[in-house]
Amino acid sequence: MSTSRTEISSLGEFGLIDHLTRNIELQNASTVLGVGDDAAVIDHFGKQTVISTDLLLEGVHFDLIYTPLKHLGYKSVVVNISDIYAMNAIPTQITLSIGISNRFSLEALDEFYEGVYAACDKYGVDLVGGDTSSSQKGFIISLTAIGEVAPDKFVKRSTAQKGDLVCVSGDLGAAYVGLLFLEREKKIFIESPGVQPDLEGESYVIGKMLKPEARKDIIEFLANQEVVPTAMMDISDGLSSEILHICRQSELGCVIYEDKIPIAGPMKEAAFKFEIDPTACALSGGEDYELLFTIPQSAYDKLVLNEEISVVGYMTDPGDGVNIITKGGSKHPLTAQGWNHLTNRQ
Ligand code: ADP
Ligand code: MG
């Protein structure tokens, strides 16, 4: 690691912007004009434009004690473009605005941008603008992602149909358990700074927390199979809270089966170390950035081709409510917090 420290003030605002954006090579034909003018120019050639924006505040959304800056840059981009994929669109451009205090050196900011550009490369998006400001306290990150979709092929949350299958990508709950480990080690570090962190063997859950991926592969798979989900969103707050959104906005109920919820082996073992229920983590943990979507039953045969997709339940009449059937066969209403497994578990 480099020990030199360059003060950001030594470059000035324009020098800093030039430095941060000097290596941009535009990847999309839709990016007509990128960084360097009053605004970027984008031409989506007859497609519709999808836009999503996120504000990330130090101490609220991330903790620099255990988040390497490169990971933070990468994750900031990933969580933003995950919203574009969740519309069944392809992200093409981002803008990134930052507020930085003088605690940050140029070297620190370079690390952050290394992560940003790594994500831009991986997902094929162009950084086309932003804004740079000083901040009194804490690191502030504002991201806007722009994407494209064929006319009227975007997928909303409100259009699920009764009888549709409820699907999720990947596995759930791991990022939350990763966060528990990081928070535990932070507490130990604050109480006794000499103690080395003990995160041995927890790379799966910690990786899910610090370096999530957006499910570009699932959107591409669905497109190749010519399956258009009836409703879709990404899972940032846990399965329970998200399925409740789809049910409320689609004016339907649903049934989710506990034994169908995808849970990774390392996540299960890690949850047991904290004596918490892996299902509860999947339902109420956050930051998985997997996709939750509904498809007509007729598309089932195409979906089973992909091991990264699990069917976890189906949509019902609104009067049936939003329920989970536990492994023991009992039925409980889902709430935004999951369900109270301590009192209800049978
Ligand atoms: P203005 O005064 O019009 O806001 P700026 O001097 O802030 O212009 O920005 C000049 C150019 O640099 C613009 O293209 C802007 O989008 C871009 N830019 C500014 N800050 C950043 C940043 N942190 N990352 C990427 N591009 C940036
Ligand atoms: Mg500006």
Side-chain angles (χ1 to χ4, degrees):
M1 217 172 133
S2 155
T3 48
S4 67
R5 177 185 167 96
T6 310
E7 295 302 327
I8 285 172
S9 54
S10 71
L11 279 92
E13 186 188 338
F14 300 117
L16 174 64
I17 296 170
D18 278 350
H19 174 84
L20 294 177
T21 60
R22 68 194 183 284
N23 291 326
I24 292 180
E25 284 177 24
L26 299 176
Q27 307 176 65
N28 292 286
S30 55
T31 311
V32 178
L33 186 63
V35 167
D37 216 302
D38 295 309
V41 179
I42 295 170
D43 185 345
H44 276 139
F45 307 105
K47 300 267 181 78
Q48 287 176 339
T49 302
V50 178
I51 301 185
S52 176
T53 192
D54 282 315
L55 180 63
L56 305 169
L57 304 178
E58 182 179 350
V60 179
H61 301 98
F62 56 91
D63 190 330
L64 288 179
I65 289 191
Y66 51 69
T67 312
L69 281 163
K70 188 172 171 184
H71 287 72
L72 181 62
Y74 191 89
K75 181 170 175 173
S76 301
V77 174
V78 163
V79 305
N80 196 219
I81 62 178
S82 174
D83 284 319
I84 303 291
Y85 289 121
M87 297 302 291
N88 199 34
I90 300 296
T92 45
Q93 288 86 15
I94 57 167
T95 65
L96 167 60
S97 300
I98 49 174
I100 32 175
S101 66
N102 57 14
R103 178 165 59 103
F104 272 71
S105 66
L106 182 65
E107 288 75 16
L109 209 49
D110 276 340
E111 267 183 57
F112 175 78
Y113 270 78
E114 248 184 74
V116 167
Y117 287 123
C120 286
D121 271 354
K122 168 136 190 191
Y123 292 95
V125 301
D126 295 325
L127 176 63
V128 296
D131 203 8
T132 308
S133 170
S134 58
S135 126
Q136 292 277 344
K137 199 170 163 282
F139 188 25
I140 299 166
I141 306 165
S142 168
L143 263 146
T144 298
I146 298 161
E148 60 178 37
V149 64
D152 301 319
K153 286 288 183 289
F154 59 88
V155 176
K156 301 196 288 184
R157 301 174 174 184
S158 59
T159 37
Q161 304 294 312
K162 184 184 161 185
D164 281 354
L165 302 174
V166 177
C167 306
V168 298
S169 66
D171 57 82
L172 301 179
Y176 175 71
V177 185
L179 178 65
L180 293 181
F181 276 108
L182 292 168
E183 289 284 349
R184 184 190 73 185
E185 293 310 311
K186 173 185 169 183
K187 209 165 150 241
I188 294 170
F189 175 78
I190 289 169
E191 283 160 11
S192 31
V195 179
Q196 286 297 307
D198 176 20
L199 300 169
E200 196 74 29
E202 307 302 345
S203 59
Y204 185 77
V205 293
I206 288 168
K208 286 278 183 176
M209 175 64 202
L210 292 182
K211 191 173 174 287
E213 299 291 353
R215 296 316 300 253
K216 178 185 187 177
D217 59 325
I218 300 292
I219 297 307
E220 288 175 347
F221 170 80
L222 293 172
N224 287 337
Q225 297 295 322
E226 296 178 353
V227 173
V228 181
T230 48
M232 183 154 58
M233 64 187 297
D234 70 341
I235 306 181
S236 50
D237 293 336
L239 177 60
S240 267
S241 131
E242 316 299 21
I243 190 68
L244 281 162
H245 282 298
I246 288 191
C247 288
R248 184 175 50 80
Q249 290 179 242
S250 297
E251 298 179 8
L252 291 173
C254 82
V255 178
I256 301 291
Y257 291 89
E258 182 186 10
D259 63 351
K260 303 284 186 211
I261 298 174
I263 284 175
M267 175 303 210
K268 204 170 181 174
E269 283 167 32
F272 288 149
K273 289 186 191 158
F274 282 97
E275 299 181 352
I276 49 175
D277 182 1
T279 303
C281 298
L283 290 175
S284 340
E287 308 219 39
D288 290 315
Y289 301 105
E290 295 295 344
L291 291 171
L292 168 65
F293 55 98
T294 55
I295 52 153
Q297 288 184 18
S298 57
Y300 177 79
D301 290 347
K302 289 179 171 175
L303 280 210
V304 289
L305 300 173
N306 193 325
E307 287 181 353
E308 286 289 303
I309 298 175
S310 307
V311 177
V312 297
Y314 60 91
M315 304 301 292
T316 64
D317 275 326
D320 296 338
V322 181
N323 294 295
I324 184 164
I325 310 276
T326 67
K327 288 175 184 161
S330 57
K331 185 169 161 182
H332 304 285
L334 277 176
T335 65
Q337 286 74 44
W339 96 102
N340 192 338
H341 67 284
L342 291 177
T343 53
N344 287 338
R345 188 109 221 188
Q346 291 172 5

